Amino acid sequence: MASILISDDSSSMRQMLCFTLTAAHHQVQEASNGSAALELAKRHSFDLVITDINMPNLDGLGLVRALRHLPDYQFKPILLLTTETDPEVKKEAKMAGATGWINKPFDPDKLLAAVRKVLG
């Protein structure tokens, strides 16, 4: 069981992620934007962060960059879950420190496989 932070401005997407991850016995906390996710990450230690890219206040790439500057998140996995398909954005995400990329809409089995893979 892992502690997972999810960040997405879509409440329905957060609900689907929570349902999928808690059914797999993970503990999940959620944020509706990157700024709220960053504040949660500063107060709690999560094993994994899953974030959208396009969000208000602080986007997912900004969140990845900010998390990588926190000592507790320098080496923790961060997955991007997004509709974005631009190869340049994927390259930018990798440079920012993202561990992996999952396209929306997501297949629950593939999401859980990616979570298992990055958590080792």
Side-chain angles (χ1 to χ4, degrees), residues 1-5 45-49 73 76-78 118-119:
M1 179 172 66
S3 176
I4 300 173
L5 172 61
S45 180
F46 296 97
D47 301 311
L48 167 66
V49 177
Y73 291 92
K76 290 194 177 175
I78 303 173
V118 298
L119 290 174

Side-chain angles (χ1 to χ4, degrees), residues 63-117:
L63 176 61
V64 172
R65 288 185 191 99
L67 288 172
R68 290 301 186 211
H69 283 97
L70 298 176
D72 202 31
Y73 291 92
Q74 286 183 333
F75 304 107
K76 290 194 177 175
I78 303 173
L79 294 175
L80 294 171
L81 180 66
T82 182
T83 57
E84 188 69 56
T85 58
D86 185 340
E88 287 300 315
V89 177
K90 285 185 177 184
K91 184 178 176 181
E92 187 179 352
K94 190 173 183 176
M95 299 275 292
T99 308
W101 186 282
I102 301 169
N103 289 324
K104 291 180 184 175
F106 68 90
D107 175 291
D109 291 333
K110 288 182 180 177
L111 173 70
L112 293 175
V115 167
R116 282 190 299 272
K117 182 178 178 181

Side-chain angles (χ1 to χ4, degrees), residues 12-73:
S12 60
M13 183 56 66
R14 290 194 313 271
Q15 286 178 337
M16 288 189 288
L17 284 166
C18 280
F19 179 80
T20 300
L21 295 167
T22 56
H25 308 288
H26 296 294
Q27 293 181 335
V28 177
Q29 288 197 38
E30 56 184 275
S32 61
N33 62 65
S35 295
L38 183 59
E39 290 306 312
L40 278 171
K42 287 178 179 176
R43 293 194 311 256
H44 304 281
S45 180
F46 296 97
D47 301 311
L48 167 66
V49 177
I50 300 174
T51 183
D52 187 14
I53 289 182
N54 300 311
M55 297 183 292
N57 300 328
L58 178 65
D59 69 14
L61 296 179
L63 176 61
V64 172
R65 288 185 191 99
L67 288 172
R68 290 301 186 211
H69 283 97
L70 298 176
D72 202 31
Y73 291 92

